[in-house]
Amino acid sequence: MAKTITEFKKFITGYNWYAGVRLAMAVMLPSIVLYHYGLLIPYLLFPFGIFMLGISDTPGAFQRRIGALLIGIVALFFIGLIAGLSRELFWLSVIILMLLGIICSLVGIYGTRMTNIGNSCLIAAIFFMDKHFVPGHILLNATYMAVGGIFYFIVFILSYKVKPYKLIQQMLGENIIEGANLLAVRSQFYFKEREEKAIVDKIMREQVILREQQEQLREIVLKTRELTNESTIKSRMFLMMFLECIDLFELIINSQQNYKQLHRSFDDIGILEEFGEYIAYLSKELQEIGLAVQGGKKLAMPAEIEEGFKKCQKAFYQLRAQTMNAENMEQFIMLRQSLYAIQDLMERVKRFYLATSFDKRLLNDFQLNNEKLQLFLPKQVYGFQMLWDNFSLKSGMFRHAIRVAIALMVGYLIAHIFDFEHGYWIMMTTVIVLKPSYSLARQKNINRISGTVVGALISLIIIYFCKTQPPLFIFLCIGTLIASSFSRVNYFIYAIGITIMVVISFGFLSPNGIDEVLLIRLVNSVIGGVIGYLASRLILPNWENKLAHGFMVEMIEANRKYFSATMHVFTDKTADLTELKLYRKNVFIALANLSDNFQRMLSDPKKQRQNLQKILAFVATSHTISSYLVGLALYAERTKNKYNPEDFSETAKLIAYNFDVVYNNLLPKGNAKNLTINAYLPKNKKLVELLDSQRQLLSNTSGSDGSAISIRKTITDYQTINSLFDLINTVICEEAKITEGFNQAL
């Protein structure tokens, strides 16, 4: 129940609701005026243009959104014009529809924003080819639609000028909430009753969501001039909070302990569950912080944050004083390291609390390097050469474009041959449900048809009980608001909202034919859904198992480079940490892509899931290695001047070699070498000396002597670093077994 309430608050204070209200108001207010003066039918393309451009608008940097919206306005005008002028000649309209299907789908190579604009333009073309929906003068109607787009553009500019930081607040808050969800999942590792496979599966899904959000947030923050060029407290605080979000994500995924060994040593004592409960408490506090950031509210830091940590700290010190000896000293080193990690999380949460009140003290040590920040921007190429290079069946987007074009042709022919009324709904449904991958298309199809059915039933109930226009208008506004708000969140709910909006709109325009409209929409949606399903399965399908190998290679390469950069920081006192963070970013992206690929593969037909178990095992080990690498990199950043590089050089060379073995296993058979994994790392002589001296001290000193039972942080860190080396190597050896002979199985 508490999670549902949190999700509701997150949605109400988040971007999707805010943008949905803005779009619904932009559509409804002009429609009310036009309807009042009896001009809605002749000028219907005006609100249609508002909705088509608004629904394609996605969060991003202000400058990029401006450019995309202007492209959308021009594209809607010319594509509507071309489609409308071609409709008098049947075969010309078929050719134009197929060409538009290819072009508007292929522009998806330029990112989500252009994908949405392409889909809106295709839907506009479909409507303009229907004489019933767009009667009269084509040029005039295309102009009305473009003017509607210009109206939305003006509304967007005004809303941005009034609240320039609103989007950043909402996206930051949402990212903090998702980070809190990931932390809550991580806390489950500390509980005695736990399902580790289920935990890892949840972590994979959460990391995919977080990666997508952070890439979007990174573009918004680093491309917003008000943040990077201004020196106001507010702008600098938002930029600092963004960087804190990145560091928080790193801390959360940092799995630098062997949880199985910890549970073997401390399960019967209860201290691990105490740690887990406190971490879960911190996740709830982070959720509250995220909601406050979204809503622009200040929060007072509760005393329980520090009190809870002191309780964990006291439990550790008491247990150490009572039970630590020479034999279990290394287990206490691991336990203390967990305590350090929890302390880092607590300090991060405290900083976020101060940030919600824009406390100036946080900015005292904050230094901004714009040049280095720009290195972390998502790279996006917009040249024509990229489009030309994708005109090949090897390109997944080109295969998708061909699929869309053929499916549109089939839908258009069916609507024409059988003279379907409102036949544009067939093609519109086909465009909406077809996605580059089968799994996404399948889910969209289910949501589209089920949402249409539910929306139709709700519309029937509304029309049956509401006999006058005022209550119908209220439900029309509600349907528009639902459609505008949920298009990017939940397509099932969006389909319900858009069906209510369409059906009640027809009720206003043609009150006597409402039952017929409902039936036609249902039938046409089902036909369009069937066409989309068959096309995604039969016409140049993109199966996820064919893409998995490429994602696996990218993953092992990203981890290998990240490890190499980490060791460079250990061995070179002048190493630039910016390069290390760039490699870390690449690891997170590769990890999310690999996880997303696997999740989509689960929805593919059973015969297209070859090597599913091997890929699952590789995804799990990749998550584990990445977590350990993050932990190792944290120590490299903090202690790069503290240890002798020679202490780690031999171990580092062997691990780097084992990374090469896994990479070699994924090479084509003709290019692969005959390499053998090194399962065991050499013992670190320095660590052995330190531990032996500490054991000797413990054996010869009474338990009441504080100097004897105190584990110095230096030894703790040294032991943790070497444990991380062992854990990384162990998991790499598992990956070597998983990938052995993998290419032959493809």
Side-chain angles (χ1 to χ4, degrees):
M1 184 63 181
K3 186 176 180 180
T4 304
I5 293 172
T6 301
E7 287 297 318
F8 177 75
K9 288 180 180 178
K10 172 187 163 186
F11 178 71
I12 291 297
T13 58
Y15 169 77
N16 289 301
W17 177 257
Y18 178 80
V21 171
R22 181 178 63 201
L23 178 55
M25 294 288 287
V27 172
M28 293 307 301
L29 290 178
S31 299
I32 293 169
V33 175
L34 291 171
Y35 182 77
H36 177 74
Y37 290 103
L39 299 173
L40 183 57
I41 293 178
Y43 291 96
L44 185 62
L45 271 295
F46 178 75
F48 177 78
I50 298 172
F51 189 78
M52 283 293 98
L53 190 68
I55 211 73
S56 69
D57 186 23
T58 55
F62 178 70
Q63 293 82 3
R64 290 188 176 180
R65 289 176 78 179
I66 289 292
L69 289 173
L70 290 174
I71 290 171
I73 292 167
V74 174
L76 282 170
F77 173 77
F78 282 105
I79 286 176
L81 188 64
I82 292 168
L85 293 174
S86 69
R87 71 189 185 188
E88 298 300 331
L89 297 173
F90 174 73
W91 290 109
L92 178 62
S93 62
V94 172
I95 293 170
I96 291 295
L97 188 62
M98 292 186 70
L99 287 174
L100 290 176
I102 292 173
I103 295 169
C104 292
S105 299
L106 198 54
V107 295
I109 61 173
Y110 296 120
T112 304
R113 195 169 288 114
M114 291 306 297
T115 298
N116 291 345
I117 290 173
N119 286 339
S120 289
C121 288
L122 260 183
I123 291 171
I126 290 165
F127 280 119
F128 266 79
M129 285 185 172
D130 190 285
K131 295 179 182 179
H132 301 290
F133 188 85
V134 187
H137 201 283
I138 297 299
L139 178 60
L140 203 56
N141 280 308
T143 303
Y144 293 155
M145 182 170 64
V147 172
I150 293 170
F151 181 80
Y152 175 79
F153 181 80
I154 294 169
V155 170
F156 166 72
I157 295 290
L158 291 175
S159 67
Y160 179 83
K161 293 300 180 183
V162 171
K163 293 187 175 182
Y165 296 118
K166 187 65 177 177
L167 174 61
I168 294 169
Q169 279 183 273
Q170 291 165 333
M171 298 299 289
L172 274 171
E174 190 170 339
N175 194 253
I176 294 170
I177 293 169
E178 290 300 336
N181 292 339
L182 180 60
L183 182 60
V185 176
R186 278 277 179 192
S187 70
Q188 296 172 24
F189 277 122
Y190 286 89
F191 291 96
K192 189 173 183 179
E193 301 296 329
R194 66 196 185 282
E195 290 287 341
E196 291 198 5
K197 288 184 178 179
I199 295 172
V200 171
D201 186 54
K202 289 178 183 177
I203 288 172
M204 287 192 293
R205 289 198 295 269
E206 285 293 337
Q207 285 188 350
V208 169
I209 296 170
L210 269 168
R211 193 272 300 181
E212 291 175 351
Q213 283 187 354
Q214 287 191 349
E215 287 302 294
Q216 203 171 48
L217 186 57
R218 184 178 280 110
E219 178 195 328
I220 295 169
V221 171
L222 301 186
K223 277 290 184 181
T224 300
R225 292 174 184 168
E226 285 83 352
L227 290 187
T228 53
N229 292 345
E230 287 186 5
S231 57
T232 63
I233 292 175
K234 200 168 189 178
S235 64
R236 286 169 59 81
M237 190 66 75
F238 281 133
L239 187 54
M240 190 209 71
M241 288 176 70
F242 162 69
L243 297 176
E244 289 285 335
C245 280
I246 302 296
D247 291 340
L248 174 67
F249 179 51
E250 180 180 293
L251 281 175
I252 292 172
I253 73 162
N254 174 19
S255 176
Q256 56 192 49
Q257 295 297 345
N258 187 330
Y259 290 108
K260 290 181 180 179
Q261 191 171 337
L262 277 174
H263 280 284
R264 280 196 297 269
S265 302
F266 300 106
D267 246 359
D268 296 330
I269 300 171
I271 191 170
L272 291 180
E273 294 208 352
E274 192 167 335
F275 284 8
E277 287 170 0
Y278 181 67
I279 294 171
Y281 166 74
L282 288 179
S283 74
K284 292 177 182 177
E285 292 303 311
L286 272 175
Q287 285 183 340
E288 292 301 318
I289 291 169
L291 291 172
V293 171
Q294 278 191 330
K297 298 178 181 178
K298 296 180 181 180
L299 282 181
M301 185 169 59
E304 288 81 3
I305 287 183
E306 289 197 356
E307 290 173 1
F309 176 72
K310 288 177 180 177
K311 187 179 176 183
C312 292
Q313 199 174 38
K314 182 179 179 182
F316 169 77
Y317 287 135
Q318 285 180 345
L319 182 64
R320 188 184 67 176
Q322 294 168 3
T323 63
M324 191 178 76
N325 53 46
E327 285 73 29
N328 63 16
M329 185 184 70
E330 291 187 47
Q331 282 70 43
F332 273 91
I333 291 176
M334 293 173 60
L335 190 62
R336 180 164 187 169
Q337 197 54 50
S338 291
L339 191 65
Y340 287 149
I342 292 171
Q343 186 175 16
D344 285 343
L345 285 170
M346 178 199 67
E347 294 297 335
R348 194 72 58 179
V349 172
K350 287 167 64 178
R351 285 174 66 82
F352 273 117
Y353 264 110
L354 292 174
T356 63
S357 58
F358 293 93
D359 194 311
K360 296 180 183 179
R361 290 174 294 174
L362 286 175
L363 299 174
N364 290 340
D365 300 322
F366 178 63
Q367 295 181 348
L368 177 64
N369 188 325
N370 274 333
E371 187 176 339
K372 287 187 177 181
L373 282 176
Q374 296 305 309
L375 295 173
F376 292 88
L377 269 174
K379 300 296 187 293
Q380 182 66 60
V381 180
Y382 292 102
F384 178 77
Q385 185 62 42
M386 184 178 178
L387 184 68
W388 179 254
D389 290 343
N390 275 272
F391 274 91
S392 166
L393 288 178
K394 293 181 181 179
S395 166
M397 285 304 297
F398 184 71
R399 294 159 69 91
H400 167 64
I402 296 295
R403 198 180 308 127
V404 170
I406 295 173
L408 280 175
M409 179 193 69
V410 172
Y412 188 72
L413 290 175
I414 289 174
H416 181 79
I417 292 169
F418 295 99
D419 196 23
F420 276 105
E421 192 175 355
H422 305 296
Y424 49 82
W425 277 333
I426 296 176
M427 292 173 285
M428 186 178 72
T429 300
T430 302
V431 168
I432 290 170
V433 302
L434 272 178
K435 297 296 170 188
S437 71
Y438 168 82
S439 58
L440 293 176
R442 177 176 173 269
Q443 188 59 49
K444 203 86 167 184
N445 213 336
I446 293 170
N447 289 338
R448 172 73 178 180
I449 295 173
S450 57
T452 300
V453 171
V454 174
L457 292 174
I458 294 173
S459 301
L460 273 176
I461 295 171
I462 292 170
I463 292 166
Y464 180 79
F465 285 102
C466 300
K467 303 298 183 183
T468 57
Q469 288 191 348
L472 283 175
F473 176 75
I474 292 172
F475 282 109
L476 176 61
C477 292
I478 292 172
T480 306
L481 183 59
I482 291 172
S484 304
S485 304
F486 284 89
S487 60
R488 285 177 290 271
V489 181
N490 188 313
Y491 193 78
F492 170 71
I493 298 177
Y494 164 80
I496 293 173
I498 199 75
T499 301
I500 294 171
M501 185 180 83
V502 168
V503 171
I504 296 180
S505 296
F506 272 99
F508 272 95
L509 301 175
S510 180
N512 297 325
I514 194 68
D515 295 338
E516 185 180 350
V517 168
L518 271 172
L519 181 61
I520 291 171
R521 178 167 173 81
L522 280 172
V523 172
N524 289 356
S525 295
V526 170
I527 293 172
V530 170
I531 293 171
Y533 171 78
L534 293 175
S536 63
R537 181 140 189 182
L538 301 176
I539 303 172
L540 301 174
N542 289 326
W543 304 120
E544 296 300 328
N545 70 309
K546 304 296 183 185
L547 306 174
H549 178 262
F551 288 122
M552 292 170 72
V553 171
E554 288 176 12
M555 185 71 255
I556 196 65
E557 182 70 7
N559 274 337
R560 184 171 65 167
K561 289 180 178 179
Y562 189 33
F563 177 75
S564 176
T566 301
M567 297 316 302
H568 181 61
V569 173
F570 267 122
T571 56
D572 186 353
K573 294 181 180 181
T574 63
D576 186 3
L577 295 181
T578 302
E579 185 181 52
L580 182 65
K581 292 180 179 180
L582 281 170
Y583 282 122
R584 178 189 68 188
K585 169 180 171 258
N586 293 338
V587 165
F588 292 161
I589 291 173
L591 191 59
N593 288 339
L594 178 67
S595 303
D596 203 21
N597 167 259
F598 175 74
Q599 293 296 330
R600 292 196 304 267
M601 193 188 301
L602 295 175
S603 298
D604 282 352
K606 193 171 183 178
K607 67 178 182 179
Q608 298 297 340
R609 299 183 207 164
Q610 295 96 332
N611 303 306
L612 185 67
Q613 293 305 315
K614 279 195 171 189
I615 295 170
L616 171 60
F618 186 87
V619 172
T621 53
S622 295
H623 273 266
T624 305
I625 290 175
S626 300
S627 296
Y628 292 148
L629 285 175
V630 169
L632 188 65
L634 282 172
Y635 277 98
E637 292 177 40
R638 294 171 183 171
T639 63
K640 63 177 182 178
N641 298 326
K642 193 173 183 180
Y643 301 111
N644 184 353
E646 294 301 318
D647 293 341
F648 307 121
S649 60
E650 189 177 352
T651 297
K653 287 177 183 177
L654 286 174
I655 292 176
Y657 169 80
N658 286 342
F659 269 118
D660 289 338
V661 173
V662 179
Y663 183 78
N664 180 74
N665 288 348
L666 293 171
L667 291 175
K669 192 174 181 181
N671 298 337
K673 301 174 183 178
N674 187 18
L675 300 180
T676 305
I677 200 82
N678 282 318
Y680 300 101
L681 296 179
K683 287 189 176 181
N684 188 297
K685 294 179 182 179
K686 180 71 174 178
L687 177 62
V688 171
E689 290 175 7
L690 287 170
L691 291 175
D692 284 345
S693 64
Q694 190 66 26
R695 289 192 188 97
Q696 186 68 30
L697 185 63
L698 282 169
S699 299
N700 297 333
T701 311
S702 65
S704 61
D705 190 340
S707 63
I709 64 173
S710 175
I711 303 173
R712 291 177 302 160
K713 194 173 189 307
T714 300
I715 300 178
T716 303
D717 289 346
Y718 209 100
Q719 166 69 5
T720 303
I721 291 169
N722 282 274
S723 296
L724 284 168
F725 282 135
D726 287 332
L727 290 168
I728 289 167
N729 193 61
T730 299
V731 184
I732 293 173
C733 291
E734 290 180 32
E735 280 201 344
K737 293 177 183 177
I738 294 166
T739 56
E740 191 173 359
F742 186 83
N743 271 338
Q744 292 92 314
L746 287 175

